[in-house]
Amino acid sequence: MPDLLVELGCEELPAAACRQAEAQLPGLLEAGLAKAGLAAAERRVHVAPRRLAAIALGLPVERPAERSEVRGPRADAPDQALRGFARKHGLDPAGLEQRDGFVWAISDGAPTQVTDLVPDIVRGLAEGIQFSKSMRYEGGRFSRPVRWLVVKLDDAVVPMRLFGLESGETTYGHRYEGGHTRLGAAATYLADLRGVRAMAEASERRAAIVAGLDAAGPWADPGGKLEEVVHLVEWPVVLEGRFDAGYLELPDRVVITAMQSHQRYFPVRRAGAALEPRFLFVANGGDPDIVRAGNEEVLLGRLDDAAFAHRRDLERGLEAMAAELGRVTFLEGSGSLADKVARLGPIVERLSAANALGDPVRAAAVRAAALCKADLVSGLVSEFADLEGYAGSVYARAAGEDEAVAVAIEEHHRPREAGGELPASAAGAVLALADKADTLAVAFGLGLEPTGSRDPFGLRRAAAGVAAIALARGYRIDPRELLGERAAAFVLDRLDPPLLEEGVTVEEVRAARGSGAIEPVDVAAIARALHAFAGPQRDAVRDAYGRCVRIAGETPPGPVDPALLPEPAEQALADAIRMPPASLEAAAALVPAVNRFFDDVLVMDKDEGLRANRLTLVANVAAALRRLADFGRLPG
């Protein structure tokens, strides 16, 4: 049973492209084998900066023959048509069968050698990967140019052409230290590459990196750079660099950002202690002394820039920076950042009052609103965009602002992505809500809502933040007034992910929104209640609601004439609905009266007055239930 080995050798792929290939290749390999009618005993995928590899172990030697029956033209068709059909299927016209007035091409087929199936599998792998960014080059289109192609079944090369390359068995290892080598069979793939100083398996590289970091000291990775580094090197070597301890007078996060932003260095900090004047980094081989000196020089330059910017910003002060916001455009057509800041104060006031946050929280949030965008014109944020918000909090403390104000300034950007960390303070939460709500209202007012996958202004992220903070804090935000109709619906759309994570279904969320609730906290509460109420009682309410909606049709709810309720069942239903159900349990208690009504009463009576009164009664029941949820959106 042969083993298949495929390797696409590339120019160095970006880490993002490696992750995308790592996510997609297993499914592409499985789909390619299935389409070819082949089953593998085991499938493996290996991704590294200069290579993408797929391995299928234990393939059959051939795909079994498959019987086929294809209907052709009518039996009395012209001879030319019959001969053409026969020729298309490799048959003599006399070999065609007649059945039901048509000719049929029937073949028992023939086995197909696995060698003949491999090229299509390989093309499916190479052409099926969807990179977020690709480039065109002389060989085709890929994330980076493909420079070699290995396709082997056991020890034999499978001839094929792809990306302008002929398949072979030669691979290339470390760009400067590895040279090239002949790849053997799939079973020796990883060992063959180690011989030319390349680790093709990401988990092996990660383990080597972590072991090297652990051996060097108590490292940290607050920026989450490890997974990126794993896909930047093929022969990882952990080295240590040092810098002048004087730079540790800068705030820790500034030093760490200088290390991790772009350079992907790892700071060293012992438990409960300050940062140490050294850093760890991962090199892709090379002379350690030369590589270390180069990286120390790079970090020195970045720390110098940070120290200079920090000093100049402190000299200017946060108030002076805030005074410069009038020269910075917010969104084209919406004025400046100063205009945005001016809008934030009243929004914070409104949200604070609506949620009874108290004067200390309100005052801190209003003051933070006036200063929260000032660091956008700071030298530190110009050098290190990741410090936006944090830099403002540092300068607020230096200016003697209240700690609650400084914290709110730092937190108002949270969450920075869907599912990200939320503001921990009440002042930070209400300011973050106000900031994101203003961005949404302005952008939607300008017609800048996202289309398709495009979202240049981060509006999906802002809407997800509004929804997440409102749910976590239980804040009421009056979304239509705060955001406008379209933006309010856009925010409610962002409720799906957090509620689905709790186990609530899409149908339950849709039913909750169908109630007419517009506050995120109300929609979430209804959806959760529907989920908890799932079962026979909820199904009975759904069915009763459905009967009412279908029969009422376009009839609007309205007053019912008691004099036109001659039947006991309709009198009982009218009495039951006089106080509309306020809970799902109350709705379930209404079901027997609804069912009795439909069993005992002819709604579409010949008497026009009776018919209209009964339709109104049914419409009233539907409207009362819909205030709890649009039960028609529930499955069943």
Side-chain angles (χ1 to χ4, degrees), residues 174-187:
H174 190 282
R175 182 175 286 278
Y176 304 111
E177 303 174 1
H180 62 275
T181 190
R182 172 187 174 275
L183 284 178

Side-chain angles (χ1 to χ4, degrees), residues 232-251:
L232 294 177
V233 296
E234 289 199 317
W235 197 252
V237 177
V238 176
L239 299 175
E240 177 187 300
R242 292 188 171 271
F243 58 91
D244 191 300
Y247 290 112
L248 296 178
E249 294 178 6
L250 290 166

